[in-house]
Each structure stands twice: as structure tokens, then as C-alpha cells.
Amino acid sequence: MRKSAKSIIESSEVQMDKESYTVPSGSKLINLMTTDSYQSAFSLGRYIQIFGDSSTGKSFFVLSMLAEIANNTVFDKYELVYDDTEHACSFDIKKLFGSKLASRLDMASISSTVEEFTASIYNRVQSGVPFIYILDSFDALSSEGEKEVVKKEVEEGKSIGTMGQERAKKMSRFFRTLTCELSKTNSFLVIVSQLRDNIGAGLYAPKKKTVGGEALKFYASARYMLTKKGDIKTKIKGKDYIIGVQTRVTCTKNKFEGKVREAVVDIYYDYGIDDIGSCLEYAKECKFCSVSGGVFDIPELGLSGDSKTIIEKIENDDLQEKLYAWMETQWREREDKLRLNRKGKFE
């Protein structure tokens, strides 16, 4: 049985069972996708990559992750860093992600170049203080060499070329030398990347790509692609208003449990990730429960009604954990049916 995070951390020292999954993803469905557990997704000492199209909620996901971490006493000694390289985060952190994250979040450590980012990680590793570090996003980083090129172009009034693969080379060197250091302090790194059109892609090449070279993909313990499924709308006086987005999350690499799954997560602009609604819709899609004419019937939880009625009931009666535990049970039963159940090849 998987140990709880609290039982494997000693308060006097940050000593953690490296095989235990203790870091939440910010979404119950992503937790399930990654480890078959709704409680957490990742083990410490690792790096993961989240990439996707614009306006798919990438920042919502990573800030929700930090919010859950901030509310867990296990991580009281951790530095929580949000490196907003895009200078674009204007969320009301306290309203959307809670007062605990608002009081602990370091948003002053902003990198403008690859060199500044790698130095920031290096200095923290050397200090010995454990940290959770979000880089949002890699695409906004320049490099010292690129700055020099721009400076010369301005001074000389003509184009003198680009730095080509400089960022990719520097990140490859960074990962070779520092990823193993993350485990020494049980720290955790998340790099957010944008999906860009792959101009000139051949017939069989991917139509979209991320920048930064292969190192960002190769060294990641998990990678998640976010794409927009559709807008969430509400109608007032006959007019539709967009109040959120449905984001399809696809796990494209998983070195934690090895599974590749996908799910749709609802994100509301004035609320954040809707775990309850997303779980109900996933349960409907996978036939974990009976749904007829928009009415859900979940006898195990004593719930029946349309989604709005059930969500209100769950929130008013504090049934969230019971819902998530039920979802995990249904999820595991489905996963068991997908197993080959053959004799082990090397037994």
C-alpha cells in the first residue's frame, strides 16, 4: 500500500521516500491519469513538462498545483517559486488559489534568459532548501548570446543572423548536470511550454512542436499536452457569455506508472479547475455511473439529480473526498480490466 506523504517525511529533516508519490498535479483527474490515485501524481526529485496551445489553462494548472502544496503541511519548509517569464500573470492569487499560497508564493524570481533560470535553480540546489519551481514559460526566455545579437543589430542597423540552437544546447547541459541534484533536496521542477506551428513540416512530421530542443522532452518524467476542446458558456437574456474553457489533457509520457491516458478538465475563469464537475463528466463518459436524460444516479454516494444539483449537494455536505475516492475505485476497476493478466515474462 502506498504510504501517505505525511508518514514519510520527518519534520526535523526533509527526508522523503523517493518511491512515494507526494506532489499533486492540481487536478484530481490528472492525478488519476498519472498514478491511479486521486491524491497525488508525482514523486519528488523530478522534472515534468506541461505544454499546449494558448488559452488552454496551463497557468491555472501549475498554480493549482502550488495551491494544493501550500495547503499541505508536509511542504511547510519548501520554497514555492513561480517564475513568470512572460510577465503575464495578473490572477488574484488569494481569491483563486487561497491565502496560504498568496502568503508563501515567490513571484519575484523572474528570469529573462536561460542563464538566469539555470542559475536560479543552481543556487537553490546549493542552498539545500527544498523547493517547487514553476517556469512559465520556457518560450519567453532569451539568452545572453541572443541579447548581444540584438544589441549589435540595433547598433549596426542591419541583421547579422541568429543564435540558432543556443537555448537548446544550454538546456541540454543544464539537465545533464542538475537534474540529479533535484533529488538531493527532494525538489521538483515544472517547465511550461507553448505549442507552436511546425512550419515546413513534412507529411509525417508533427504539425506542432515545442522549442528548446530534445532535452526538455528527454529528461521529463512526465509530459502533458493541453488542447482546447471548447468554451464553457452560460446564457443571460438570450445572449451567450464565455465563462471558462474545457481543456483536453493528454499524458504523452509517464515514467511514474507508464500509462498514457487523457481526460477533459473544466476550468472557470473566476473559480479555477472544477474537480467535481470534471469527475462527474468523466464518470458519465466512461459509464462509471448511470446517467439518463441528464440525471446522474450514484447510489454508492446517495446522489441523484442533474449535475448542478449534485455539485451543490457535494459542496454543501462536504462530500468531495467521498466523490474522489469513489472515482478512484471506478478508475482502478477499469484499469484492472485493461491488464493482460498473463504470467510474468521473467518469473
Side-chain angles (χ1 to χ4, degrees):
M1 180 178 294
R2 184 175 294 147
K3 301 177 183 178
S4 68
K6 196 165 186 176
S7 69
I8 57 178
I9 294 183
E10 301 174 8
S11 58
S12 58
E13 302 177 48
V14 184
Q15 296 290 334
M16 191 167 290
D17 181 347
K18 300 285 179 60
E19 298 305 315
S20 297
Y21 303 121
T22 56
V23 183
S25 68
S27 163
K28 304 304 181 187
L29 284 179
I30 295 181
N31 290 349
L32 286 168
M33 284 168 54
T34 310
T35 61
D36 296 336
S37 167
Y38 78 87
Q39 294 179 313
S40 56
F42 315 116
S43 52
L44 291 163
R46 305 288 190 91
Y47 146 65
I48 70 165
Q49 184 185 29
I50 294 176
F51 61 100
D53 295 321
S54 177
S55 302
T56 51
K58 297 184 293 297
S59 297
F60 264 112
F61 276 103
V62 293
L63 286 167
S64 295
M65 174 193 295
L66 289 174
E68 290 194 26
I69 289 169
N71 281 276
N72 189 335
T73 57
V74 163
F75 296 97
D76 280 351
K77 293 185 178 182
Y78 274 67
E79 290 185 354
L80 308 183
V81 184
Y82 182 68
D83 190 343
D84 181 21
T85 63
E86 297 178 355
H87 299 270
C89 183
S90 56
F91 291 133
D92 185 335
I93 300 296
K94 185 175 181 180
K95 177 181 181 296
L96 288 171
F97 306 103
S99 57
K100 288 188 178 179
L101 180 61
S103 65
R104 293 182 57 187
L105 187 60
D106 174 6
M107 297 186 70
S109 300
I110 300 179
S111 304
S112 63
T113 65
V114 173
E115 290 86 355
E116 289 177 359
F117 162 61
T118 55
S120 182
I121 296 294
Y122 177 81
N123 291 335
R124 283 180 167 80
V125 166
Q126 294 303 306
S127 74
V129 178
F131 58 86
I132 310 292
Y133 196 109
I134 310 293
L135 179 73
D136 187 9
S137 66
F138 179 82
D139 301 67
L141 291 179
S142 179
S143 69
E144 293 300 332
E146 190 173 38
K147 284 187 173 183
E148 285 299 315
V149 167
V150 172
K151 181 180 178 182
K152 288 183 179 180
E153 287 182 338
V154 172
E155 292 173 347
E156 298 179 15
K158 62 180 180 179
S159 176
I160 58 176
T162 67
M163 295 303 295
Q165 297 295 315
E166 184 186 26
R167 284 191 304 175
K169 291 178 180 178
K170 288 182 179 295
M171 289 307 296
S172 181
R173 183 164 62 245
F174 163 76
F175 282 119
R176 286 198 304 272
T177 56
L178 282 181
T179 47
C180 63
E181 300 295 320
L182 290 174
S183 64
K184 293 182 180 179
T185 55
N186 286 314
S187 297
F188 192 76
L189 171 64
V190 181
I191 293 181
V192 178
S193 298
Q194 302 286 345
L195 265 178
R196 299 187 175 190
D197 290 334
N198 191 4
I199 306 299
L203 182 61
Y204 301 105
K207 304 305 178 186
K208 300 217 173 184
K209 65 177 182 178
T210 56
V211 300
E214 295 299 312
L216 269 69
K217 304 175 185 178
F218 179 80
Y219 286 95
S221 292
R223 300 182 74 230
Y224 300 88
M225 179 173 68
L226 276 57
T227 54
K228 183 176 179 179
K229 180 184 178 184
D231 294 316
I232 301 174
K233 300 179 180 180
T234 190
K235 192 180 292 291
I236 298 179
K237 295 182 178 181
K239 181 176 175 58
D240 285 331
Y241 294 88
I242 298 174
I243 59 173
V245 62
Q246 285 189 311
T247 296
R248 186 178 302 280
V249 183
T250 304
C251 179
T252 63
K253 180 180 181 181
N254 181 358
K255 283 192 172 183
F256 294 100
E257 290 285 351
K259 297 174 183 176
V260 177
R261 298 285 182 266
E262 72 173 29
V264 175
V265 177
D266 292 342
I267 305 172
Y268 291 91
Y269 300 136
D270 68 344
Y271 176 79
I273 292 175
D274 181 6
D275 277 322
I276 298 174
S278 299
C279 284
L280 289 175
E281 286 303 309
Y282 191 86
K284 175 183 175 180
E285 178 186 347
C286 295
K287 296 185 167 96
F288 290 164
C289 61
S290 173
V291 183
S292 178
V295 176
F296 288 76
D297 184 25
I298 311 177
E300 299 94 329
L301 301 177
L303 295 172
S304 182
D306 60 26
S307 59
K308 182 178 179 181
T309 301
I310 288 184
I311 289 173
E312 289 178 353
K313 174 73 172 175
I314 290 172
E315 291 182 336
N316 291 337
D317 295 350
D318 293 326
L319 299 176
Q320 292 92 329
E321 291 300 313
K322 287 188 176 181
L323 171 68
Y324 304 146
W326 173 80
M327 273 292 295
E328 181 175 318
T329 298
Q330 303 304 312
W331 183 285
R332 287 178 179 270
E333 287 179 359
R334 192 269 310 278
E335 292 297 309
D336 284 342
K337 293 177 182 178
L338 295 174
R339 299 181 189 280
L340 291 178
N341 291 321
R342 292 170 57 181
K343 180 180 178 181
K345 186 174 179 179
F346 299 103
E347 287 184 0

